[in-house]
Structure formats: structure tokens, C-alpha cells
Amino acid sequence: MNLNSSEFSLDDFAIVILSFDGYSDLWEYFFKFFNMYWPDCPYKLYLVTNNKDVDFNNVIVIKTGDEISWSNRTRIALSKISAKYVLLLLEDYFIGKEVSNHDFNKIVAKILLNKYRYYRLNRNPPPRGRIDKSINAYEINENEEYGINLQPALWNKDFLINLLGNGNYSAWEFEINQLKKTYVLSKKHMEGCYVDNSNVFIIYNGVLKGKWIPGTLKYYRNQGIVIDPGNRAVLKASEEWNHIVRTYIRNHIPYWARKVIKKLMTQIGVKFVTKY
């Protein structure tokens, strides 16, 4: 099973960086780290923008016009890509470790051969389904919270387009919409949906709520690269720790317990973005 066989083609797969002009200050760093850690990437690379002209080596730019919504931008971009499968990335998902073509190609070949619909490369949140040792991946259950999310993942393009539907909404709302579905579904495996267990793709999230994440700035500074925040603010240490704690609670405390905690904290004045 390999990508050199006549059964597969490099054109079956593409990498799509979903962005918009308001985050153009991140593009330089995204591609700097991409080329540093994956210099021999063999796949077509697409950058989705609104109207800005950019010139990055070996990058195909897709312009989607004036901003309407994240979902509209994504639908337009996917309609212009012929590949059957895409690795979907956001512009602040910075690669932080060397990517092995040998290891990554094995995953792509596995997905193409088995016609998987969704294959997440990042174990965030931690997988809750059983591990299928034959493919070194965890099954995603239908009722698994954030089982399908916008962490780096390989998508069957038609499956993603179907999930997007026709509405206009943000990336955050897309994840919440998927989360809502889990509370009325069963524990059975969601067909063709998995979380990889091999850590072939390590990313560091650069921005949270529009601000640089201090831990990410520190990581790349330790690699000898200083990121200039420019006009974009940097999270306060307290904001970063708040995010870390919330993520830990979401990943390790059952939903029923979180509901109780949120109810109690709401009574003392703490505000939450969503009830989920």
C-alpha cells in the first residue's frame, strides 16, 4: 500500500490552509515553520484568503471575496479543489516538529485505501473510543464530545462539505454544532472516523481569541526564532492559564459533572461562552 501505485495519485490529496485577510500577519510565520519542518512536502498546498495578493513559493492562493462567514469561505475554497481528500489547517496551526514524508504518506495511503471520512492527527481532546491496533488509530464514537473538530485532520472532501451544509457561521460555531449532535447519539463507532495514534504531525496553536499565546512564542524562541507580535496583542499569563485549566476540565471531567460545576459557578457570577 503506497502512493506510488497506479491506484493512488498525489492529486487525490491536498493541504488547505483556511485563513482570511484579517489574519494575514500570521501567514509569514505559518509558511516559515511549514517549510522549516516539512521542506519536502509533495502535496499541493492551498492558502485561502479573501482578496489579498500574496506570493509564497509553491502555494496556490484561493480568493473567496469579501468576508461573509467561515463556512461560506470554506465551501467556496473546497469547490475549487479537485482533490478527494484534504488536510485542513488553520493559519495559526504552526508545525513544531519535523514531518516525515514516509510516515505521513503511509497515513494518506491508508485513508485512500479504506475510504475513511475523517482522520484526526491531533489527540486533542484525548480519544475515548477503543483503539484499533491494526491501523494504530482510535475509533471516534458517535456520542464523543469534540470527536469531530477543527484540529489538524484529513477529511474526505464530500463528507466535510456535507457537514458544512448551507448556513453561514464561524469555525467555533461549526465545532459547537458538531458537539450538540453528540448528546443525542449512541456510543457506537462513527463509521470511517478515527484519531491517529502515531504523532506524525505536531502543531503549536499560535493565537487564541485574536491574541498570541505566550507559550507558543516561547517554544519558537527556544528554537532560535523570535516571533514579532506586531500589532497583535499577547495573552496575559492569567488568560493563558485560564485556557489551560478550561481545556483540562473539558478533556478530563465528564459532561454531567461539568454541567454541575458551570451551574454553581454561574450562580457566583462566572460567565461562560456556551452551556456545553
Side-chain angles (χ1 to χ4, degrees):
M1 180 174 64
N2 62 73
L3 291 178
N4 295 320
S5 100
S6 59
E7 188 177 353
F8 305 125
S9 166
L10 286 175
D11 291 335
D12 288 332
F13 180 79
I15 299 174
V16 181
I17 300 96
L18 282 173
S19 189
F20 72 111
D21 290 0
Y23 268 37
S24 60
D25 59 307
L26 305 185
W27 298 344
E28 175 186 352
Y29 292 109
F30 178 94
F31 290 109
K32 182 182 186 70
F33 301 135
F34 190 99
N35 293 326
M36 176 186 300
Y37 293 115
W38 201 357
D40 55 351
C41 175
Y43 304 106
K44 286 183 179 178
L45 194 61
Y46 294 89
L47 171 64
V48 181
T49 72
N50 294 119
N51 300 299
K52 280 198 172 184
D53 288 310
V54 292
D55 185 16
F56 294 107
N57 192 36
N58 296 322
V59 176
I60 303 167
V61 176
I62 296 178
K63 296 182 182 180
T64 61
D66 294 342
E67 184 68 5
I68 296 176
S69 65
W70 175 87
S71 58
N72 181 69
R73 189 173 359 113
T74 304
R75 283 191 296 267
I76 292 174
L78 293 176
S79 72
K80 297 182 178 183
I81 296 170
S82 61
K84 300 174 184 176
Y85 287 82
V86 295
L87 168 59
L88 206 63
L89 301 173
L90 304 183
E91 72 285 283
D92 64 338
Y93 283 174
F94 299 149
I95 298 180
K97 298 284 185 181
E98 181 180 350
V99 179
S100 163
N101 270 336
H102 176 266
D103 293 340
F104 194 86
N105 289 347
K106 287 197 316 186
I107 289 177
V108 173
K110 176 171 60 178
I111 290 169
L112 293 175
L113 180 69
N114 294 287
K115 300 180 180 179
Y116 295 152
R117 301 191 297 172
Y118 172 81
Y119 195 92
R120 180 154 37 95
L121 299 175
N122 189 307
R123 290 180 292 185
N124 182 25
R128 290 178 166 82
R130 74 177 186 91
I131 187 168
D132 185 335
K133 293 183 179 179
S134 67
I135 60 172
N136 195 28
Y138 290 89
E139 296 177 346
I140 295 176
N141 295 331
E142 289 184 346
N143 68 344
E144 192 169 329
E145 295 177 272
Y146 293 104
I148 289 183
N149 62 46
L150 291 176
Q151 292 291 322
L154 288 76
W155 295 79
N156 173 288
K157 190 176 69 173
D158 290 339
F159 177 62
L160 176 55
I161 290 173
N162 183 61
L163 288 183
L164 287 169
N166 298 316
N168 290 314
Y169 46 81
S170 68
W172 174 79
E173 289 171 320
F174 172 81
E175 291 193 325
I176 293 298
N177 289 340
Q178 303 314 308
L179 175 62
K180 289 177 181 177
K181 297 176 185 177
T182 65
Y183 299 128
V184 296
L185 296 174
S186 71
K187 287 185 66 175
K188 71 177 183 179
H189 173 219
M190 188 183 299
E191 182 182 355
C193 298
Y194 295 89
V195 180
D196 187 66
N197 192 42
S198 56
N199 281 331
V200 300
F201 198 79
I202 305 298
I203 63 105
Y204 286 82
N205 194 189
V207 170
L208 176 67
K209 295 181 179 179
K211 299 179 181 180
W212 285 103
I213 299 175
T216 298
L217 298 179
K218 180 179 179 181
Y219 173 81
Y220 288 103
R221 189 164 60 245
N222 290 339
Q223 306 301 309
I225 303 169
V226 177
I227 295 176
D228 178 6
N231 295 324
R232 188 175 295 276
V234 178
L235 284 175
K236 297 177 182 177
S238 59
E239 292 176 310
E240 184 176 22
W241 274 108
N242 182 274
H243 172 67
I244 292 171
V245 170
R246 285 172 180 262
T247 300
Y248 181 88
I249 290 174
R250 186 193 71 194
N251 289 345
H252 295 87
I253 296 180
Y255 174 64
W256 66 266
R258 295 203 308 274
K259 283 185 66 176
V260 173
I261 293 172
K262 280 191 172 184
K263 184 176 180 179
L264 292 174
M265 294 183 71
T266 299
Q267 291 175 351
I268 61 174
V270 178
K271 294 182 179 180
F272 295 91
V273 177
T274 172
K275 66 179 182 179
Y276 296 101

